[in-house]
Amino acid sequence: MENTAKTLEMLNDLVLINNDRIEGFEKALKELKESGEHAEFEPIFLKFIDNSRRYKMEIGTEIQALGKDIEQGTSTPGKLHRAWIAVKETFTGHDIHNLLEECEFVEDAIKKAYEEALTDDVLPAYIIDMLDEQLQEILEAHDEIKSMRDSVQ
């Protein structure tokens, strides 16, 4: 019973951080459209949003199979970070390099959350396999964002 509760907590935390990721990339898309620049990044951001929605659905299926409801909303650290970014933008503006740095920050956070979940020994093997597959895509996305950031100045 205790392992099930801990598994549910970890899975719901991953749902919340995927919500953070979705919200972060939706904000980045909005900023791209408003700036009218770097439209080539739009399909990449959309892909990452779609991936996180798929991850949430896969994780949510496991949460429901364990008899619980899926968490809604975003994580508190994610909300705090977005508030800090809004204040920072007021004073410094938000160019494409800074935008991609913020995207990389989101990728760092989700990568860390997945890595922490995968090091815990309470998850069943089939959930570990699912999360590991998701993490591999997240690592690729992180590298892609970093490369995009490094390509603009």
Side-chain angles (χ1 to χ4, degrees):
M1 186 67 171
E2 183 179 323
N3 280 353
T4 301
K6 191 163 183 183
T7 296
L8 285 165
E9 180 182 348
M10 274 192 259
L11 292 177
N12 270 313
D13 286 348
L14 292 175
V15 166
L16 293 176
I17 198 145
N18 272 290
N19 287 343
D20 288 339
R21 186 178 192 230
I22 291 166
E23 193 170 304
F25 279 112
E26 286 174 342
K27 181 179 181 218
L29 272 174
K30 181 180 176 197
E31 289 187 29
L32 277 180
K33 288 179 181 179
E34 287 174 358
S35 76
E37 297 178 10
H38 296 284
E40 69 273 16
F41 296 152
E42 187 174 332
I44 297 166
F45 291 174
L46 288 169
K47 176 180 75 172
F48 297 158
I49 291 167
D50 288 345
N51 286 350
S52 271
R53 287 182 178 144
R54 178 174 44 85
Y55 303 157
K56 280 178 40 180
M57 193 162 39
E58 291 171 358
I59 295 168
T61 299
E62 298 306 326
I63 291 169
Q64 290 174 332
L66 293 169
K68 293 294 180 180
D69 292 328
I70 303 166
E71 291 287 335
Q72 303 298 317
T74 57
S75 68
T76 300
K79 290 175 188 171
L80 293 174
H81 177 72
R82 282 187 298 280
W84 180 82
I85 293 305
V87 169
K88 180 180 157 188
E89 287 173 1
T90 302
F91 295 105
T92 63
H94 210 95
D95 66 17
I96 189 65
H97 190 267
N98 288 338
L99 176 70
L100 292 170
E101 280 183 343
E102 294 309 319
C103 291
E104 186 179 3
F105 176 85
V106 171
E107 293 303 282
D108 286 340
I110 196 167
K111 181 177 79 164
K112 181 180 177 189
Y114 271 79
E115 288 170 343
E116 287 176 3
L118 287 167
T119 60
D120 204 306
D121 60 355
V122 301
L123 295 175
Y126 70 96
I127 291 179
I128 290 172
D129 290 344
M130 175 191 67
L131 295 179
D132 190 54
E133 286 177 23
Q134 292 178 2
L135 177 59
Q136 294 314 306
E137 290 182 17
I138 289 166
L139 293 172
E140 289 171 15
H142 178 275
D143 291 347
E144 191 168 359
I145 290 291
K146 186 175 180 179
S147 175
M148 291 163 47
R149 185 210 60 209
D150 291 346
S151 74
V152 297
Q153 293 303 328

